[in-house]
Amino acid sequence: MSWSQQRLEECIAERLDGATLVVVANREPYIHVFEDEEIRCMRPASGLTTALDPVMQACGGVWVGHGSGNADRVVVNENDRVNVPDEDPRYSLRRVWLTKKEEQGYYYGFSNEALWPLCHVVYKRPRFDTDDWLQYKSVNQKFADAVLEEVGDCPALVFIQDYHFALLPRMLKQVRPDLVVAHFWHIPWPNREVFRVCPWQEEILDGLLGNDLLSFHIQYHCNNFLHTIDRTLEARVDMEHFAVTRGGHTTIVRPNPISIDPEATASRLPMNLDHVERKLRKKWGLKDEKILVGVDRVDYTKGIPERLAAVDRLLTRHPEWKEKICFLQIGAPSRMHIPNYRQLNDDLHAQVDEINWRHGQGAWRPIVFLNEHHNAWQLATLYRIAAVGVVSSLHDGMNLVSKEFVAARTDRRGVLVLSKFTGAARELTDAVQINPYAVDEFAEALHVALSMPVEEQENRITRMQQQLAENNVYCWAGNLLSEASKLLQVPQSVEEQIAQAVEELV
Ligand code: F6P
């Protein structure tokens, strides 16, 4: 039986048996911002929050996250909580406030200038700064305090997200060894040789071994993690059962690929799609060109310059596509306080201008770059009206844009061009897979995708949609939370204790 939101809701309610579910993620699923003196609730551009919000809507509980919106403080109650979503509250969001100094050191600094490039290995040098590290430690402690306050004395399953909280599992276990702590690491884990340059590697690894369950998207990253432990810490690594024992405590390490809710994506398509498409084409100055679409946060791991270079090369090698295609790149600005990200944003504008100047003819330009955030409804429409979806990450834990593109194709048309260096490439084997570093190969793949017969498009999309229906986000959460909840020891009521004693007696 495949997983649905309802099955997850029933299964987790049964498994938790009264224990609280606490999700900890740096990014909050709903951000409140002032806009024209009104307060607006926004959804961030984040695969993590897109995937986890429907899970929390199904399971209920508390999400502990950084309150980053300028109106966030206005809408919370005296316990820094707000119920979300606004229109139909299903769970509680507990906001943790950070000073600018903390945000700079913990989020921009250690998380995104040290761990992010360290784990992605895309040839950006990690920056290890001692002050950032100290902020990272103290913010992990701040989140630990908030979680402990949320759970009180009750049994709870704490489900931690990502590389912002490597130290949190150990901090929680030191105070409450009975808590069940599971952690999903959304980005790749590099091999031991790469990781060993980190000056605080032992503390990070020890922090992660506070978890009862630690999960990555793919087995390869689990193996990298286990090898890293084996070479760095005093611990028993069991490669047969994928588990690590240190100081009498065991952490199990499992692969579990994250996904989306494909039905929810499809349901975001407008009824009057043709009308919307006509309006959008007019807005972008397009006639009937085939649209290729790329949707990313502006991040150097996403391979956006490589993709634009491939479009450039396509038009040089196959000039017959001139005036027949348009590459639409959505680039949501991201982490703009980090110099590498600001630089990339500027470089992309320059690269687009250059390519448009070189190949443009009359009013036609090959690339439209929309350097702004788009919401989930707008993105579903863009995926649906494109002929080709392009995902060219240089390295990516999963990449949910590729899955959203497939799910939005209710017409069973369209071709996905997908980097083989994404976790998604292991599941979406009917995509046209590319090496984004190989510009000629990439350009040829775009040509193949643009020329693919309709019947083949239909076969490929159908198979990928079947795979998504089976392995949706409820399957991801269901497997993970079921495994973790086996470790919960919920205190028995007096009646239950008597019943168990009687059973043991007879
Ligand atoms: O992929 C890693 C990740 O942290 C995701 O978990 C998240 O979707 C994305 O990057 C967004 O990053 P940020 O929260 O820093 O904007």
Side-chain angles (χ1 to χ4, degrees):
M1 189 180 36
S2 54
W3 284 89
S4 62
Q5 196 167 23
Q6 193 186 344
R7 181 172 162 210
L8 179 70
E9 190 174 336
E10 288 160 7
C11 165
I12 298 307
E14 190 189 315
R15 296 287 170 95
L16 286 177
D17 197 16
T20 312
L21 174 64
V22 182
V23 161
V24 191
N26 170 69
R27 186 64 63 198
E28 50 181 353
Y30 299 90
I31 303 183
H32 289 90
V33 289
F34 285 112
E35 214 177 72
D36 303 328
E37 293 177 29
E38 305 250 298
I39 292 180
R40 219 180 108 212
C41 184
M42 283 178 43
R43 315 285 313 268
S46 149
L48 182 154
T49 53
T50 311
L52 264 171
D53 176 60
V55 170
M56 283 302 276
Q57 293 208 26
C59 301
V62 190
W63 180 310
V64 181
H66 169 212
S68 57
N70 59 12
D72 274 1
R73 284 178 195 262
V74 182
V75 298
V76 293
N77 67 14
E78 64 283 7
N79 300 317
D80 296 327
R81 282 187 180 180
V82 56
N83 290 332
V84 290
D86 274 353
E87 63 285 1
D88 175 23
R90 304 293 291 268
Y91 64 97
S92 169
L93 171 59
R94 160 76 190 266
R95 286 175 165 151
V96 174
W97 313 114
L98 300 180
T99 63
K100 289 272 186 266
K101 197 168 167 215
E102 287 172 328
E103 192 180 349
Q104 178 58 45
Y106 139 84
Y107 172 76
Y108 289 108
F110 195 72
S111 297
N112 286 313
E113 286 196 277
L115 286 177
W116 180 267
L118 181 69
C119 290
H120 279 90
V121 204
V122 294
Y123 312 103
K124 280 272 182 253
R125 187 181 173 139
R127 201 175 65 81
F128 298 113
D129 179 281
T130 307
D131 289 336
D132 289 351
W133 167 244
L134 294 176
Q135 291 297 342
Y136 183 84
K137 288 214 288 196
S138 76
V139 171
N140 269 243
Q141 188 59 58
K142 201 168 194 176
F143 273 82
D145 295 343
V147 172
L148 292 168
E149 206 175 290
E150 289 299 323
V151 298
D153 297 330
C154 303
L157 193 170
V158 183
F159 184 23
I160 303 171
Q161 311 301 313
D162 239 340
Y163 57 100
H164 312 89
F165 299 116
L167 306 176
L168 180 57
R170 177 70 69 209
M171 289 170 172
L172 292 174
K173 283 287 192 172
Q174 269 160 358
V175 183
R176 283 281 308 270
D178 62 307
L179 290 177
V180 174
V181 184
H183 197 148
F184 192 80
W185 193 266
H186 290 254
I187 63 175
W189 189 277
N191 71 38
R192 147 84 190 137
E193 286 307 308
V194 169
F195 193 75
R196 69 194 286 233
V197 302
C198 176
W200 302 287
Q201 55 180 326
E202 283 93 352
E203 272 178 86
I204 289 174
L205 296 174
D206 180 65
L208 287 168
L209 292 183
N211 282 301
D212 297 297
L213 169 66
L214 172 62
S215 190
F216 299 89
H217 294 289
I218 58 175
Q219 184 67 51
Y220 180 62
H221 297 149
C222 296
N223 293 351
N224 279 349
F225 178 78
L226 292 169
H227 291 144
T228 307
I229 295 286
D230 202 27
R231 298 279 299 275
T232 318
L233 289 186
E234 284 281 327
R236 192 159 57 78
V237 177
D238 178 347
M239 287 304 282
E240 203 175 316
H241 298 101
F242 300 107
V244 184
T245 305
R246 176 169 163 87
H249 174 258
T250 299
T251 304
I252 44 182
V253 181
R254 293 280 180 274
N256 199 356
I258 201 168
S259 194
I260 57 164
D261 177 343
E263 286 176 22
T265 304
S267 74
R268 292 188 195 111
L269 291 166
M271 303 289 273
N272 53 348
L273 188 70
D274 291 347
H275 173 70
V276 176
E277 178 170 357
R278 273 197 301 279
K279 278 181 75 174
L280 287 173
R281 282 183 177 273
K282 193 162 168 222
K283 183 169 155 195
W284 300 323
L286 300 183
K287 298 191 189 87
D288 55 358
E289 293 92 332
K290 282 179 184 250
I291 296 174
L292 300 96
V293 73
V295 174
D296 309 83
R297 286 181 304 103
V298 174
D299 190 300
Y300 54 79
T301 61
K302 301 293 179 186
I304 308 172
E306 287 74 6
R307 168 184 326 174
L308 299 179
V311 174
D312 186 6
R313 190 67 57 90
L314 170 76
L315 294 170
T316 307
R317 289 170 72 119
H318 296 280
E320 68 273 18
W321 287 116
K322 286 194 180 188
E323 297 185 273
K324 302 229 169 55
I325 61 165
C326 175
F327 194 95
L328 181 65
Q329 176 62 49
I330 309 291
S334 174
R335 306 175 187 169
M336 290 293 272
H337 296 295
I338 299 176
N340 274 327
Y341 284 75
R342 273 202 306 275
Q343 184 64 51
L344 173 64
N345 212 67
D346 294 348
D347 291 351
L348 287 177
H349 282 283
Q351 192 183 4
V352 169
D353 282 350
E354 165 69 21
I355 298 172
N356 279 345
W357 177 80
R358 205 178 11 244
H359 296 286
Q361 292 175 349
W364 176 77
R365 44 196 181 140
I367 302 174
V368 171
F369 179 32
L370 303 177
N371 195 191
E372 61 207 5
H373 177 68
H374 286 67
N375 66 36
W377 287 269
Q378 295 166 327
L379 292 180
T381 302
L382 299 181
Y383 296 139
R384 180 66 168 66
I385 65 177
V388 180
V390 184
V391 171
S392 57
S393 311
L394 305 180
H395 198 183
D396 216 329
M398 174 50 63
N399 191 284
L400 293 181
V401 166
S402 56
K403 295 188 172 182
E404 297 278 357
F405 175 81
V406 171
R409 301 314 303 228
T410 49
D411 57 344
R412 304 213 167 152
R413 298 281 192 280
V415 182
L416 174 65
V417 174
L418 177 62
S419 162
K420 50 178 85 158
F421 308 132
T422 59
R426 317 252 167 157
E427 296 171 85
L428 302 178
T429 48
D430 275 293
V432 175
Q433 298 207 354
I434 49 123
N435 170 357
Y437 291 92
V439 64
D440 288 307
E441 178 191 315
F442 193 169
E444 277 316 303
L446 293 178
H447 174 66
V448 167
L450 285 163
S451 323
M452 189 178 285
V454 165
E455 201 184 316
E456 187 177 347
Q457 293 179 28
E458 194 163 331
N459 289 339
R460 287 178 183 241
I461 288 281
T462 305
R463 283 193 294 262
M464 291 193 283
Q465 287 183 344
Q466 280 160 356
Q467 131 75 32
L468 280 187
E470 288 285 304
N471 299 296
N472 57 25
V473 71
Y474 306 112
C475 170
W476 171 78
N479 289 337
L480 230 146
L481 295 175
S482 302
E483 178 131 31
S485 61
K486 283 186 205 149
L487 304 164
L488 272 173
Q489 289 162 349
V490 180
Q492 290 177 319
S493 65
V494 176
E495 291 77 13
E496 283 167 337
Q497 288 177 35
I498 296 172
Q500 191 181 337
V502 171
E503 205 168 285
E504 281 166 11
L505 192 70
V506 289

